[in-house]
């Protein structure tokens, strides 16, 4: 059993500006996605060239952040949003939704694909292997924040948190839908595949991983 060390979610603050672990995990995910895109675009037959990678990641960042926040407010925080129209901007209250982020990224990739003259599925297949590491580090951010815990357990790797021993479901998700999914997709996309095969593999394996973890995770109230 491991006792949760009660991390301070703020790394450091300068006046009103606070640098948080959760935000840092997003930065790490975007930087890794940018670097992997640079590697991926050098492969023969890549639909994205090196000059387009910066714009690709910029569009993806907007999709993740805007879609993820709007999705959370609509699905989990609609009462708060109706009571306070500025709630959507209060990013330290509530969080981000994977569902909203997924829709946001797909919409952003549609805009980007139109800009460079490609089909949406072509861009989606290129970017799909870049996404899981961001998901993995985001779940580590959830763990550091002490949120999205699993159910009580007596397994040896349970984490003691405020008097209870709980499944570290954030770390289960980080491993399965993050690092393991990345390894599979990076390998799978290393050879030419039919259109939407890589995107479909991402959705299939993410769904399987999330389905498994939901048996151990406690949903938001």
């Amino acid at each position: 059993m491991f006792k949760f060390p009660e991390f301070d979610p703020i790394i450091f603050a300068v006046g009103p500006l606070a640098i948080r672990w959760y935000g840092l995990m997003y930065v790490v995910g975007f930087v890794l996605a940018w670097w992997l895109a640079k590697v991926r675009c050098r492969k023969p037959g890549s639909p994205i060239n090196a000059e387009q990678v910066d714009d690709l990641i910029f569009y993806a960042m907007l999709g993740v952040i805007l879609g993820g926040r709007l999705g959370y407010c609509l699905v989990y925080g609609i009462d708060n949003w109706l009571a306070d129209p500025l709630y959507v901007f209060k990013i330290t209250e509530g969080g981000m939704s994977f569902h909203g982020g997924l829709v946001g990224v797909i919409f952003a990739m549609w805009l980007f694909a139109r800009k460079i003259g490609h089909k949406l599925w072509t861009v989606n297949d290129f970017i799909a292997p870049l996404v899981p590491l961001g998901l993995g580090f985001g779940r580590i951010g959830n763990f550091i924040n002490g949120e999205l815990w699993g159910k009580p357990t007596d397994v040896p790797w349970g984490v003691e948190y405020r008097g209870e021993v709980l499944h570290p479901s954030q770390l289960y998700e980080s491993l399965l839908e993050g690092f393991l999914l990345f390894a599979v997709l990076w390998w799978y996309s290393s050879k030419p595949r039919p259109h939407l095969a890589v995107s479909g593999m991402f959705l299939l394996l993410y769904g399987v991983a999330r389905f498994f973890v939901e048996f151990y995770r406690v949903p938001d109230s």
Side-chain angles (χ1 to χ4, degrees):
M1 185 184 66
F2 171 75
K3 186 171 183 178
F4 186 73
E6 296 285 355
F7 296 100
D8 186 339
I10 298 176
I11 304 173
F12 65 88
V14 179
L17 178 64
I19 305 301
R20 298 172 179 270
W21 285 106
Y22 189 65
L24 179 61
M25 295 299 105
Y26 270 80
V27 172
V28 171
F30 288 131
V31 169
L32 286 174
W34 173 83
W35 177 70
L36 291 169
K38 288 289 188 180
V39 173
R40 193 159 162 72
C41 76
R42 292 198 293 265
K43 294 184 178 181
S46 170
I48 307 296
N49 60 45
E51 289 72 28
Q52 295 168 333
V53 166
D54 293 346
D55 284 347
L56 171 73
I57 299 302
F58 177 71
Y59 274 72
M61 287 172 61
L62 290 179
V64 168
I65 295 171
L66 297 180
R69 182 58 183 168
L70 288 172
Y72 182 90
C73 291
L74 286 170
V75 176
Y76 302 107
I78 188 65
D79 292 337
N80 292 331
W81 198 4
L82 291 174
D84 179 8
L86 297 179
Y87 175 73
V88 68
F89 300 108
K90 298 178 180 180
I91 56 175
T92 58
E93 299 179 19
M96 307 281 279
S97 160
F98 170 80
H99 320 82
L102 178 64
V103 173
V105 168
I106 291 174
F107 181 70
M109 292 303 97
W110 175 72
L111 292 175
F112 179 75
R114 286 190 64 187
K115 175 183 176 182
I116 64 173
H118 277 308
K119 299 293 185 181
L120 170 62
W121 57 74
T122 302
V123 177
N124 282 352
D125 283 343
F126 179 87
I127 201 172
L130 316 181
V131 174
L133 287 183
L135 296 175
F137 281 102
R139 295 306 182 190
I140 292 175
N142 291 142
F143 180 77
I144 292 173
N145 277 354
E147 58 194 10
L148 303 183
W149 283 103
K151 298 174 182 178
T153 182
D154 58 0
V155 297
W157 57 87
V159 178
E160 183 182 342
Y161 178 71
R162 297 181 180 176
E164 281 191 289
V165 179
L166 307 172
H167 279 288
S169 57
Q170 319 96 319
L171 300 184
Y172 297 169
E173 289 187 277
S174 179
L175 175 63
L176 295 175
E177 69 192 44
F179 304 114
L180 183 58
L181 180 55
F182 165 74
V184 173
L185 283 181
W186 193 257
W187 165 79
Y188 183 71
S189 64
S190 64
K191 296 180 180 179
R193 303 290 180 182
H195 288 312
L196 288 177
V198 178
S199 303
M201 183 66 74
F202 168 82
L203 291 174
L204 172 66
L205 296 182
Y206 177 88
V208 170
R210 186 65 181 262
F211 180 82
F212 171 78
V213 174
E214 287 298 322
F215 285 102
Y216 303 96
R217 172 177 162 170
V218 176
D220 286 350
S221 56

